[in-house]
Amino acid sequence: MRLSSVLCMTVLAAVCLFGNGCNEEMSSDQVRMARLVGNENLELKRQIKNKDNEINNLNQQLEQAKQESQQAIAKAQKQIKEKDDRVADFTKQAEQNMRVIAQMQEASVQMQKHFDTALTENKQRLENYEKAASAAPTPCPEVEKQYASLYEE
């Protein structure tokens, strides 16, 4: 608005100075020229007003876009944090699972050692038993009586 006022004053001053001065009598060419300048000034004022409105609309759109952008960024940051938390939980669970697997493997090794020891001991007992069984039979009077009674009948 200020620009249009300055422009209007400049044009009027130029017309007065370059015309025949600022006298009361103006020729028809000068009147026509003054009207053209006035009309042009009005048109320029209208265009400036339209541009001001357009600038205001664009500023509003820009502000709305900034707000939407900030909301989208906040939402994305929240989603990233949630995913990071889930990854941390999965990592923690995986580490715990690895500890349990290691404990189970150690228990398996200990069980295998225990099993091998028990197997070796049982083999030794079996060998001892077989050696004892292959040796001369030990007389057992009660058993001999039962067998003898079977043959007597």
Side-chain angles (χ1 to χ4, degrees):
M1 289 300 217
R2 189 175 206 189
L3 180 64
S4 62
S5 298
V6 170
L7 183 62
C8 182
M9 295 299 255
T10 305
V11 170
L12 285 176
V15 168
C16 286
L17 290 175
F18 293 113
N20 287 330
C22 289
N23 58 15
E24 293 177 15
E25 294 180 23
M26 292 180 128
S27 69
S28 64
D29 288 338
Q30 289 175 337
V31 170
R32 193 175 332 143
M33 182 66 118
R35 285 184 185 159
L36 287 173
V37 169
N39 287 340
E40 189 174 344
N41 266 347
L42 291 175
E43 179 62 24
L44 289 173
K45 284 181 183 181
R46 186 189 61 74
Q47 288 177 2
I48 288 172
K49 185 177 180 182
N50 288 342
K51 291 296 179 183
D52 284 344
N53 289 337
E54 191 176 328
I55 288 170
N56 287 335
N57 289 337
L58 290 173
N59 283 337
Q60 289 174 354
Q61 290 175 3
L62 179 63
E63 192 61 37
Q64 183 179 357
K66 283 181 184 178
Q67 289 175 355
E68 290 173 0
S69 175
Q70 289 172 347
Q71 290 171 349
I73 288 170
K75 183 178 179 182
Q77 287 173 337
K78 181 181 176 185
Q79 290 173 342
I80 289 170
K81 185 183 181 324
E82 289 172 355
K83 287 180 182 180
D84 286 347
D85 290 345
R86 281 186 274 172
V87 168
D89 289 343
F90 290 144
T91 302
K92 184 178 178 181
Q93 185 65 39
E95 289 170 353
Q96 184 178 0
N97 289 346
M98 294 303 289
R99 285 191 297 272
V100 168
I101 289 170
Q103 291 171 349
M104 291 176 75
Q105 287 174 337
E106 180 62 29
S108 175
V109 167
Q110 293 299 323
M111 289 175 68
Q112 185 64 41
K113 287 180 183 177
H114 181 69
F115 176 75
D116 290 344
T117 303
L119 183 61
T120 303
E121 288 174 0
N122 286 336
K123 282 183 180 178
Q124 187 63 41
R125 286 183 191 148
L126 181 61
E127 286 176 11
N128 291 341
Y129 175 76
E130 286 176 349
K131 284 181 185 177
S134 66
T138 310
C140 183
E142 288 179 20
V143 175
E144 289 178 4
K145 281 183 191 177
Q146 287 177 353
Y147 281 114
S149 64
L150 288 175
Y151 289 113
E152 290 176 5
E153 291 177 9

